[in-house]
Amino acid sequence: SISKNDERTNPSPYQQQPIKKPQNPDRELKEISFRETFDEIPVPPEAVEWNQKGVEAYNQENITYAIDCFDKALDIYPQYATAWKNKGLAYAKNEQYIESIKTYLFVIRTIDDSDAGVYNNLGYSYYYSSEKFSPDEKKSILAQSSNSFNLALKNTENSEEISIISENLIVVENKRNGLIIAEESNENIIENAYLILVFSGVICLCYILWNVLNSYYDRKEIERKEEVKKRLKSEDNIKEILKEKNEVKPIPHLTKKK
C-alpha cells in the first residue's frame, strides 16, 4: 500500500468526479457514469490536476490529449481509480475498444470490482469490439458483453441505471440470438444443399446408367436383328440350293425314225 504523506490532500468532489456521460442517440447501447467515490488514500494534487485536464479535453472532443492526461495522472498515482475509469471511457470514445476492455478489466481485478458503471461500459466496449471479428468469435464476445451487463445489474440499485443496463442487455441478447439463429439457418442451408447435391448426384448416376444400359440393349437388339437377317438370308440360300438340286429335268421325247 502507499503510505500517506503531508503532500497529499483530499481533493474536492468537483476535482475527483469522473466524466459525465450524456447519452448518444446514434448508438444502440448506452454508457453510464461511474460512481463518485473517493480513494481511501488521498490522491496527490498533481494527479488530480492531470485527471481534471483529461476530463476537460474529453468534453472538448480532444480524446487523444485526454488519454495522455489520464496517463500522466496514473504515472503520478497508479492506483487512481477515477483516472483509470476515465481512460477506459476515452478509449471507447476513440473506438479503441480492445484497449478500453483491457483498462476496465484492470480496474475490476485490481482496484474496484463493484462499480456498475465499469461493468456496463465494459459490456459496451465488448459489444462494439465484436464487429471486427468472425461470427464464431463475435458470439463469444457478445456473451462476455452480456455477462458484463448482468454484473452491472448486480452492483446497482439506481433505477435509472437499471433501466439503461437492462435495455443494453436486451440489445446484446437479441443480436446474440440473431447470430445463433443465422448460424443454425446456415447449417440447415448447407445440409440441405448437401442433400440436394447427393440426390442430384444419384439422379445423374441413374440417368447415366440408364443411358448405358439402354445403349447396350439397343446394340444387342440391332445385333440380334442382324443375326436374324443373316440367318434368314442363309436359309433362303439353302432353299435355293436345295431347289436347284431337287429340280427334275424333263426327259426329251424320243422321235420315231421313219
Side-chain angles (χ1 to χ4, degrees):
S1 62
I2 302 175
S3 61
K4 184 175 181 180
N5 59 51
D6 295 334
E7 294 180 355
R8 292 178 178 174
T9 59
N10 196 7
S12 69
Y14 173 77
Q15 288 176 309
Q16 264 204 327
Q17 66 183 354
I19 296 169
K20 294 294 184 181
K21 284 304 299 174
Q23 299 308 330
N24 185 345
D26 297 329
R27 285 288 192 173
E28 293 177 278
L29 302 188
K30 297 180 177 65
E31 293 170 297
I32 61 176
S33 297
F34 306 113
R35 68 179 175 195
E36 297 181 20
T37 56
F38 296 101
D39 297 81
E40 292 182 2
I41 299 174
V43 180
E46 298 88 349
V48 174
E49 184 179 350
W50 278 112
N51 177 72
Q52 190 58 31
K53 285 182 180 179
V55 172
E56 291 169 1
Y58 181 97
N59 292 334
Q60 294 168 5
E61 302 290 327
N62 190 352
I63 308 304
T64 301
Y65 180 63
I67 293 171
D68 289 340
C69 291
F70 298 136
D71 279 336
K72 286 183 170 63
L74 292 168
D75 286 340
I76 297 167
Y77 183 47
Q79 294 301 106
Y80 194 176
T82 300
W84 276 111
K85 296 174 185 180
N86 288 341
K87 184 180 176 182
L89 208 57
Y91 274 135
K93 178 75 171 179
N94 217 30
E95 297 186 359
Q96 294 175 261
Y97 297 115
I98 301 302
E99 295 304 319
S100 177
I101 290 167
K102 290 178 180 177
T103 302
Y104 289 138
L105 289 176
F106 176 82
V107 171
I108 292 168
R109 291 167 182 168
T110 63
I111 301 174
D112 185 357
D113 63 356
S114 60
D115 188 340
V118 174
Y119 287 110
N120 178 84
N121 299 343
L122 173 62
Y124 177 100
S125 291
Y126 270 131
Y127 179 84
Y128 287 108
S129 73
S130 69
E131 298 299 328
K132 298 180 180 179
F133 293 89
S134 67
D136 283 341
E137 292 171 318
K138 187 178 291 187
K139 279 193 308 178
S140 175
I141 294 170
L142 289 176
Q144 291 174 305
S145 176
S146 179
N147 182 58
S148 298
F149 289 125
N150 281 315
L151 289 171
L153 288 172
K154 290 180 180 179
N155 284 280
T156 185
E157 295 179 355
N158 181 291
S159 59
E160 183 181 352
E161 290 183 349
I162 289 172
S163 175
I164 291 173
I165 296 165
S166 298
E167 289 175 5
N168 287 344
L169 185 57
I170 290 170
V171 171
V172 173
E173 284 301 306
N174 285 343
K175 187 161 189 176
R176 187 164 166 249
N177 290 334
L179 283 174
I180 293 171
I181 292 170
E183 183 180 35
E184 290 174 351
S185 176
N186 288 337
E187 288 176 355
N188 290 333
I189 290 172
I190 292 171
E191 184 178 353
N192 291 336
Y194 175 76
L195 291 174
I196 290 170
L197 286 172
V198 170
F199 186 65
S200 299
V202 170
I203 291 175
C204 288
L205 182 61
C206 291
Y207 179 75
I208 291 169
L209 288 174
W210 182 82
N211 278 316
V212 169
L213 290 173
N214 193 46
S215 176
Y216 173 79
Y217 285 116
D218 284 347
R219 189 171 67 252
K220 284 294 182 182
E221 181 65 17
I222 292 170
E223 290 176 355
R224 187 186 67 80
K225 288 181 179 179
E226 290 294 328
E227 186 66 29
V228 169
K229 286 180 180 180
K230 287 180 181 179
R231 190 168 66 249
L232 289 174
K233 187 175 181 180
S234 177
E235 288 177 356
D236 288 342
N237 290 336
I238 292 172
K239 285 180 182 179
E240 288 294 329
I241 293 170
L242 290 175
K243 184 177 178 182
E244 290 177 0
K245 286 184 177 182
N246 294 330
E247 185 177 7
V248 178
K249 294 182 180 180
I251 297 173
H253 294 288
L254 296 175
T255 55
K256 291 182 179 181
K257 290 182 182 180
K258 293 181 180 182

